[in-house]
Amino acid sequence: MLTFGLIGCGSIGGFLARLLTREDEELADRARLAAVVGRDPVRAGTLAAEVGRPATDVAGLLARRDVDAVLVCTPSGTHAGLAEAALRAGKHVLVEKPVDVSPRAADRLIAVARETGRTLGVVSQHRFDPAARLARTAIESGRLGRVTSVMTELAWWRGPSYYASGGWRGTPALDGGGALMNQAIHAVDLVQWLAGPVVEVAAHTARLAHPGIEVEDVATASLRFANGALGTLLATTAAYPGRTARTAVNGDRGSVVIDDDELAYLHLARDGEDAPAYGAYGAADQSAEHAAELARDRTRDAAGLLYQPHRDQLLDFCDAVREGRPPLVDGAAGRQAVAVVAAVYASAETGRPQRVDTGAPADGRQEERVP
C-alpha cells in the first residue's frame, strides 16, 4: 500500500484526489490518499471536505511519516522545486506533466531522485490508453515495417476564461509556454514512445487568437526522428470550437491512427499481401478485429476525464515502487518531452533547425515497456 499526499487543488489535483478516494477495489489495495495541500485555503478546504481528507501545508505534508509518496499538481514552473523537497523528505514523487518547464530543471530533479533513491514519475496517462498500447506493441514487433512518417495534430480551443482562471496560465515563467508545453506535451510524449526519440526540429510559433497571453497559441514543427522517420506537429488552442487530438504513425508495412484516444485506423500487412500500386486510400481498416484489446472502463469524472488511464498509471507507479524499478513514465521520459518542446521554441526564435538536447541517460534506466 502506497499512501499519497497531494500538492495542488486545481482541476487536475481535484481529479486525482477523487480518483484515489473513489470505489475501486484494485486501486484501493495499492494506493490511498492521506491529505491535500493547496495555495488557496478555500479551494483546499473545499476539496478536502469533498474527498474526506484533511487539508494541510507543504511542510506538514512532508513531515507526515505515513505519507510515502507525493503527487505534485501545481503550476508547471513550480514542479521541480516542490518535487525536490518531497524527494529530500524521503517521499516518492509523481509529477503532473510537464516534469517542469526546462530540461535543466528536469536534470536537477532526476539527479535528486537518483541521489535519494526515491522513485520519480511523470503523469503521461495517454501511454495507458488501450489504443496507444496496441499501437506500441504493433510497432515494437515490426508489424508496421519501417516507420517512415508521423503526424500529430492537437487542434483545440481555449477561451479567454481558461487563461483567466489562473494567474500562471499563459506565462513563460510558470506555464513554460503555451499550446505546446501545456496542452500538446502529451502528444509529444506519445509520438516519441511510439516512434522513438525526436532528434531535430524546425518550427514556427505564433500568438494569433489570444492577445492577452504571453506565449504561443499556435505551434508547428517538422520533426526528424532518430530512426530516420520524418514527422509533423501542430499544437494550437486557437482552433475554434475545438477538435480532437490525432496521431498517425505510418510504416512501409502498416499504419495506425489514434484519434481522441481511440483507435481510428489500423492496417498491418498480412503474409503475402501486396497493396494496390496506387494505395488503398484509407480502405482495409482492421481496427474492428482488435475490439477485445481496446475494451476500457469509460467512467468519467465530473471534470470530464476518463478514470482508466490515470488509474492504470497510478497502479504502474505503485508497482514500480514496490518492485524497485522505474515506472513506465520516469523522469527521463518526462525530460525527453520537455526537451523537444524547448527545441521547438528555440527553432521558432532563431529561424533555424534545432537539435534536441538529449541530456545524459539516467543511471539504472530500464528499457520502456508496454504496461
Side-chain angles (χ1 to χ4, degrees), residues 51-313:
V51 298
R53 299 293 189 272
T56 183
D57 57 18
V58 172
L61 183 73
L62 298 186
R64 288 184 59 149
R65 299 181 64 181
D66 64 329
V67 170
D68 308 301
V70 172
L71 278 162
V72 177
C73 301
T74 55
S76 303
T78 67
H79 286 176
L82 288 166
E84 179 178 348
L87 289 167
R88 293 197 182 282
K91 316 300 183 185
H92 305 287
V93 175
L94 182 57
V95 185
E96 170 59 17
K97 61 77 187 169
V99 61
D100 203 276
V101 298
S102 74
R104 297 284 77 79
D107 287 338
R108 292 193 299 272
L109 189 54
I110 291 167
V112 173
R114 190 182 306 126
E115 174 191 335
T116 59
R118 301 292 90 182
T119 300
L120 172 64
V122 182
V123 174
S124 196
Q125 75 276 6
H126 293 296
R127 293 194 188 194
F128 295 83
D129 289 321
R133 285 181 279 186
L134 189 153
R136 165 82 175 195
T137 299
I139 294 166
E140 275 198 314
S141 66
R143 297 292 305 280
L144 265 68
R146 179 177 183 177
V147 173
T148 56
S149 62
V150 179
M151 294 171 285
T152 188
E153 176 188 86
L154 186 140
W156 286 0
W157 172 256
R158 290 291 185 268
S161 62
Y162 166 80
Y163 291 104
S165 66
W168 64 279
R169 296 193 187 278
T171 66
L174 292 179
D175 216 350
L180 184 56
M181 181 67 86
N182 191 309
Q183 281 79 26
I185 191 84
H186 283 301
V188 172
D189 175 74
L190 185 61
V191 297
Q192 293 192 101
W193 189 55
L194 295 177
V198 173
V199 296
E200 186 178 61
V201 306
H204 295 86
T205 62
R207 182 171 60 250
L208 300 176
H210 300 90
I213 66 175
E214 303 172 31
V215 293
E216 87 286 350
D217 58 11
V218 182
T220 62
S222 174
L223 312 174
R224 185 163 66 86
F225 290 79
N227 60 10
L230 301 179
T232 60
L233 166 68
L234 166 66
T236 180
T237 54
Y240 184 88
R243 295 189 291 108
T244 55
R246 184 178 180 90
T247 295
V249 181
N250 307 306
D252 61 6
R253 294 298 289 165
S255 297
V256 59
V257 180
I258 298 171
D259 194 317
D260 198 23
D261 308 327
E262 304 288 350
L263 188 66
Y265 180 89
L266 176 71
H267 187 89
L268 308 175
R270 306 185 196 279
D271 290 342
E273 176 184 304
D274 191 12
Y278 288 91
Y281 289 95
D285 181 16
Q286 300 166 354
S287 57
E289 300 173 20
H290 298 270
E293 300 167 73
L294 299 171
R296 69 193 304 182
D297 177 4
R298 298 185 179 277
T299 307
R300 292 185 182 272
D301 180 71
L305 296 172
L306 286 168
Y307 283 119
Q308 174 265 316
H310 284 89
R311 170 191 182 273
D312 286 357
Q313 181 160 16

